[in-house]
């Protein structure tokens, strides 16, 4: 065996040695950082988030002189050149009312991302609580809770969202306007949409958490903790949840794109975000309305659709990367 | 025995769902006659409400509804006068089912081979290309791909009709639009399933006893590798449904999805309840079938 091979062997041994001293979470982060598509996607998403967060700032502040005029249109500003193709003034063209598509996309992407994040947050809370309780309590309670999940799984959840929104929208708006401010009342539909989308997307999360908790609660360290007098709440918080949080992060990341998608479906059907607010799905449906055989306004569809597709792709890459790094089942 | 019990269990479940749907739509603000073109006088309105029993308490209404349901009658539509919900279902359901089934087959037909090959060529370029394509499919939802397909294939090239339903040519674009997202999803599940199976010991055994690779992959590994796809088929059907609402509205296909969405807007109570119930029962039955298929493919699975 040559010297080079020996030293390589020694190196890999040393590497294996240090890896054993890393916690599973540290190992997972290492694995994630080696995943190039996931890193590129994270960077892309970071840029997108920065853009949509900073855009309203530079648009309205004195900084607006520093950026090209094309980047400073208001999403509600009407001009007298509707349906103009991409040009130096409007980089991505204008829509039926002469509004700048680029600014509409910034605005829409912001709402789509917020919908995804908040919806995923709501589904996280419900799913983790439901799954943890079912898995930990076990027995008959577990059986009933999981049958409910099974039944909900095979019902078209879109109906629940629609019913929820139709049912409580008016009361919710009145309550918001009365308790907080009329301005917030105007956002009632959007807030309800967040809650509704989260409330129908927790099923997978509940199943995964329940499976993990079921296997964790028979472990010795849980028995040890219980024999030392710890209560259910403490065991769940201190011993069980820290052990499932890796998988929870993974599935939250994968829930975000599916909720963004769901919202765009609802908007497309006219059940989601309503003007003057706009999400990416709403922009696409506005473009789809203008399809006619005489003249194709392709920029109204292609750009928002491209941005939506790209965002979903990046989110999925990140989610996959996280899962490969965290989920023990995908380890070789 | 187990499946017989599940089948019997469907009856109370359908009852619960019908009652919940019934109660929910009645709780929604507004009634079916609020948006009449000519605002009805109070007397006319009263008469109309009496005709549809809307002035009676909820439970009485539900009881009448159940009586009709036992006879297979989903009641009259409150918006499309002269039409019963049964009429609409009879007319729209075959269309929706055709679309759903062809998209289901498209998703399986594209997704399973794609996932299979990416798993077999794991870590080599066919895997990377194939997996990327699958992920790409996964990220082009119906409302992105639908308008693009229409613009390109229907308007620019003129190969397919732009919208509506009727000839076999009408089916193709909606099928691709609806199915492509799910084919990506199935490819990913298939790849995962195949990869776990290919690591299993019985595959090594099969190879060790000298079986050729094709037989190992197709006869031994495929059978277990496809299980994640089979178990996803249940939720897939529910997802196809949500997608079909969008696809039906993009291509203006006269299926029942459009009627359901519209009935929610127009507060056409009987229509909403009837269609929700129809969808729920359809899905429950299909899920039962999926579970049955599951036991046939993998005899190790036993339901108590």
């Amino acid at each position: 065996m040559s010297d080079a091979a020996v030293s390589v062997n020694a190196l890999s041994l040393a590497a294996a040695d240090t890896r054993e001293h890393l916690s599973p979470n540290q190992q997972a982060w290492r694995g994630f950082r080696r995943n190039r598509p996931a890193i590129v996607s994270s960077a892309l998403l970071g840029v997108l988030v920065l853009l949509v967060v900073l855009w309203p700032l530079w648009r309205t502040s004195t900084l607006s002189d520093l950026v090209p005029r094309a980047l400073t249109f208001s999403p509600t500003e009407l001009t007298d050149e509707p349906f103009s193709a991409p040009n130096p003034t409007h980089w991505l063209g204008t829509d039926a009312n002469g509004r700048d598509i680029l600014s509409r996309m910034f605005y829409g992407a912001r709402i789509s991302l917020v919908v995804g994040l908040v919806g995923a947050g709501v589904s996280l809370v419900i799913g983790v609580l439901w799954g943890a309780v079912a898995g930990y309590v076990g027995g008959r309670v577990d059986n009933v809770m999981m049958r409910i999940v099974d039944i909900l799984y095979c019902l078209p959840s879109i109906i629940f969202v629609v019913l929820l929104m139709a049912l409580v929208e008016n009361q919710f708006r009145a309550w918001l306007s009365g308790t907080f401010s009329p301005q917030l009342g105007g956002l009632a539909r959007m807030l309800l949409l967040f809650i509704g989308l989260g409330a129908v997307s927790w099923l997978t999360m509940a199943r995964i958490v329940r499976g993990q908790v079921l296997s964790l609660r028979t472990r010795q360290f849980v028995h040890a903790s219980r024999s030392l007098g710890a209560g259910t709440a403490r065991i769940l918080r201190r011993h069980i949840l820290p052990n499932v949080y890796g998988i929870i992060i993974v599935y939250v990341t994968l829930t975000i794109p599916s909720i963004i998608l769901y919202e765009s479906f609802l908007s497309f059907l006219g059940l989601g975000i309503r003007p003057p607010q706009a999400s990416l799905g709403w922009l696409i449906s506005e473009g789809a309305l203008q399809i006619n055989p005489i003249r194709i306004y392709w920029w109204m569809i292609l750009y928002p659709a491209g941005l939506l597709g790209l965002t979903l792709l990046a989110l999925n890459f990140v989610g996959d990367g996280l899962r490969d790094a965290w989920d023990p089942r995908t380890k070789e | 025995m187990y499946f017989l019990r599940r089948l019997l269990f469907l009856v109370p479940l359908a009852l619960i769902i019908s009652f919940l749907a019934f109660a929910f739509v009645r709780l929604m603000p507004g009634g079916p006659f609020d948006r009449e073109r000519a605002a009805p006088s109070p007397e006319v309105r009263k008469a109309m409400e009496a005709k549809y029993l809307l002035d009676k308490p909820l439970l009485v209404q539900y009881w009448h509804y159940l009586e009709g349901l036992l006879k297979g009658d989903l009641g009259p539509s409150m918006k499309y006068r002269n039409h019963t919900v049964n009429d609409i279902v009879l007319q729209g359901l075959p269309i929706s089912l055709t679309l759903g089934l062809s998209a289901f087959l498209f998703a399986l037909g594209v997704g399973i081979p794609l996932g299979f090959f990416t798993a077999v060529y794991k870590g080599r370029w066919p895997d990377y290309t194939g997996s990327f394509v699958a992920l790409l499919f996964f990220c082009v939802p119906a409302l992105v791909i639908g308008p693009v397909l229409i613009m390109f294939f229907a308007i620019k090239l003129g190969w397919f009709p732009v919208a509506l339903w009727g000839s076999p040519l009408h089916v193709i674009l909606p099928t691709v639009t609806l199915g492509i997202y799910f084919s990506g999803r199935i490819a990913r599940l298939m790849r995962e399933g195949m990869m776990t199976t290919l690591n299993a010991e019985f595959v090594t055994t099969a190879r060790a006893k000298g079986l050729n690779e094709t037989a190992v992959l197709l006869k031994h590994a495929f059978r277990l590798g496809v299980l994640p796809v089979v178990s996803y088929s249940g939720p897939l059907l529910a997802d196809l449904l949500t997608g079909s609402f969008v696809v039906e509205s993009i291509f203006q296909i006269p299926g029942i999805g459009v009627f359901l969405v519209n009935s929610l807007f127009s507060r056409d109570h009987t229509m909403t309840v009837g269609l929700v119930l129809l969808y729920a029962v359809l899905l429950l039955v299909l899920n039962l079938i999926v579970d049955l298929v599951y036991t046939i493919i993998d005899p190790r699975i036993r339901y108590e």
Side-chain angles (χ1 to χ4, degrees):
Chain A
M1 205 183 270
S2 71
D3 279 357
V6 170
S7 62
V8 167
N9 258 340
L11 265 179
S12 62
L13 267 180
D17 205 18
T18 48
R19 199 173 304 156
E20 273 166 27
H21 296 292
L22 292 172
S23 78
N25 286 336
Q26 284 169 319
Q27 275 182 37
W29 274 120
R30 289 213 165 171
F32 182 73
R33 277 203 295 267
R34 272 200 298 272
N35 188 332
R36 197 165 300 159
I39 291 297
V40 172
S41 303
S42 314
L44 206 73
L45 285 175
V47 171
L48 182 65
V49 170
L50 267 183
L51 273 178
V52 299
V53 170
L54 291 182
W55 165 75
L57 294 178
W58 85 54
R59 193 175 67 73
T60 49
S61 73
T62 49
L63 281 173
S64 63
D65 301 336
L66 296 176
V67 288
R69 165 78 178 123
L71 287 173
T72 57
F73 283 103
S74 153
T76 49
E77 185 180 328
L78 305 176
T79 61
D80 44 8
E81 35 190 337
F83 297 123
S84 66
N87 59 53
T89 333
H90 299 282
W91 288 356
L92 302 186
T94 57
D95 70 1
N97 299 318
R99 291 174 293 195
D100 182 62
I101 298 272
L102 183 64
S103 67
R104 305 270 294 154
M105 277 167 60
F106 275 133
Y107 186 68
R110 191 159 56 137
I111 290 191
S112 281
L113 285 175
V114 172
V115 165
L117 282 175
V118 179
V122 173
S123 81
L124 170 85
V125 172
I126 305 177
V128 168
L129 279 179
W130 193 277
V133 169
Y136 190 79
V137 178
R140 188 175 291 259
V141 175
D142 175 36
N143 209 351
V144 171
M145 286 175 92
M146 283 299 127
R147 284 301 81 71
I148 292 175
V149 170
D150 287 349
I151 292 168
L152 289 180
Y153 237 112
C154 60
L155 293 180
S157 52
I158 195 166
I159 290 164
F160 291 114
V161 182
V162 173
L163 284 181
L164 176 79
M165 308 224 339
L167 217 60
V168 290
E169 192 187 344
N170 288 334
Q171 288 96 316
F172 191 63
R173 174 172 297 130
W175 179 75
L176 276 181
S177 311
T179 327
F180 299 100
S181 68
Q183 232 173 348
L184 206 61
L187 297 176
R189 192 181 174 83
M190 207 161 77
L191 292 175
L192 258 184
L193 196 66
F194 293 166
I195 300 169
L197 285 172
V200 296
S201 309
W202 54 272
L203 299 173
T204 313
M205 179 67 85
R207 275 192 177 172
I208 289 164
V209 170
R210 179 244 178 195
Q212 294 280 315
V213 171
L214 210 55
S215 79
L216 280 170
R217 73 175 177 142
T218 52
R219 297 284 190 80
Q220 288 188 330
F221 63 88
V222 175
H223 287 315
S225 179
R226 189 174 306 123
S227 61
L228 286 170
T232 306
R234 184 180 164 82
I235 293 177
L236 274 177
R237 209 179 56 242
R238 291 280 304 169
H239 299 286
I240 305 232
L241 286 182
N243 275 306
V244 288
Y245 100 88
I247 283 199
I248 291 176
I249 290 177
V250 171
Y251 280 90
V252 168
T253 323
L254 292 172
T255 310
I256 296 174
S258 73
I259 290 185
I260 291 180
L261 205 62
Y262 215 132
E263 188 282 321
S264 57
F265 272 9
L266 288 177
S267 291
F268 192 87
L269 294 174
L271 300 165
I273 299 273
R274 273 195 192 153
Q277 276 127 23
S279 66
L280 287 176
W282 175 255
L283 293 183
I284 297 170
S285 69
E286 267 187 337
L289 271 181
Q290 301 298 338
I291 288 186
N292 63 64
I294 301 154
R295 190 135 165 54
I296 300 176
Y297 306 114
W298 53 269
W299 55 92
M300 283 183 65
I301 292 181
L302 223 52
Y303 291 124
L307 185 61
L308 180 64
L310 201 67
T311 312
L312 295 175
L313 195 66
L315 279 166
N316 275 306
F317 264 128
V318 173
D320 281 357
L322 286 175
R323 188 182 50 191
D324 287 346
W326 246 292
D327 195 340
R329 283 174 308 171
T330 57
K331 290 249 168 71
E332 303 288 305
Chain B
M1 248 349 268
Y2 171 77
F3 286 104
L4 205 66
R5 229 177 37 225
R6 286 257 319 251
L7 207 60
L8 285 178
F9 189 59
L10 282 185
V11 178
L13 208 56
L15 280 181
I16 295 172
I17 291 167
S18 71
F19 180 72
L20 285 181
F22 203 84
F24 273 140
V25 292
R26 286 298 190 283
L27 284 173
M28 283 201 285
F33 311 119
D34 289 354
R35 282 195 221 160
E36 294 291 323
R37 217 164 285 153
S41 63
E43 298 83 38
V44 173
R45 196 190 170 92
K46 227 175 186 154
M48 277 160 93
E49 283 180 352
K51 185 186 168 201
Y52 294 109
L53 297 171
L54 286 176
D55 49 351
K56 299 262 175 10
L58 183 69
L59 278 176
V60 177
Q61 290 180 41
Y62 181 63
W63 185 247
H64 273 272
Y65 187 74
L66 269 190
E67 279 181 350
L69 206 59
L70 277 181
K71 285 177 256 163
D73 180 12
L74 292 170
S77 164
M78 294 179 182
K79 213 70 204 181
Y80 302 89
R81 308 285 156 62
N82 311 327
H83 285 279
T84 61
V85 178
N86 285 26
D87 290 342
I88 307 272
V89 167
L90 278 180
Q91 180 208 334
L93 189 64
I95 299 176
S96 289
L97 281 183
T98 313
L99 175 63
L101 191 70
S102 56
F104 185 66
L105 293 179
F106 175 85
L108 290 182
V110 174
I112 290 183
L114 192 60
F116 183 81
F117 283 111
T118 51
V120 172
Y121 289 101
K122 181 181 185 294
R124 281 178 275 166
W125 68 265
D127 175 25
Y128 293 126
T129 328
S131 296
F132 184 72
V133 169
L135 193 59
L136 210 60
F137 284 177
F138 191 55
C139 296
V140 285
L143 78 161
V144 170
I145 195 77
V148 174
L149 285 180
I150 293 179
M151 279 198 308
F152 195 72
F153 287 104
I155 295 181
K156 199 124 201 198
L157 296 176
W159 291 354
F160 299 105
V162 175
L164 300 178
W165 195 256
S167 72
L169 270 183
H170 281 100
V171 186
I172 295 174
L173 287 187
T175 300
V176 174
T177 306
L178 181 54
I180 200 160
Y181 168 81
F182 300 102
S183 71
R185 201 153 175 178
I186 285 174
R188 286 151 58 89
L189 284 172
M190 185 71 205
R191 180 171 183 270
E192 238 164 78
M194 276 305 282
M195 295 222 298
T196 5
T197 319
L198 286 175
N199 287 330
E201 281 170 0
F202 74 91
V203 172
T204 318
T205 314
R207 281 184 180 140
K209 72 180 187 187
L211 276 184
N212 67 347
E213 191 63 19
T214 323
V216 172
L217 288 178
L218 286 181
K219 283 185 73 177
H220 294 253
F222 180 80
R223 197 166 164 161
L224 277 190
V226 81
L227 281 183
V229 176
V230 176
S231 61
Y232 172 60
S233 306
L236 166 67
L237 293 162
D239 290 349
L240 268 178
L241 221 88
T242 314
S244 75
F245 294 163
V246 174
V247 174
E248 283 179 15
S249 93
I250 293 176
F251 290 93
Q252 298 173 6
I253 297 167
I256 46 177
V258 175
F259 281 104
L260 179 54
V261 174
N262 286 341
S263 76
L264 284 165
F265 279 124
S266 62
R267 304 282 188 264
D268 190 347
H269 294 331
T270 38
M271 183 81 87
T272 311
V273 178
L275 294 182
V276 167
L277 192 61
L278 180 75
Y279 274 131
V281 170
L282 209 61
L283 285 171
L284 288 169
V285 170
L286 288 170
N287 266 297
L288 196 64
I289 296 173
V290 166
D291 283 354
L292 252 170
V293 171
Y294 214 71
T295 51
I296 294 171
I297 297 183
D298 188 355
R300 292 176 307 177
I301 293 170
R302 291 256 182 282
Y303 297 103
E304 11 50 287

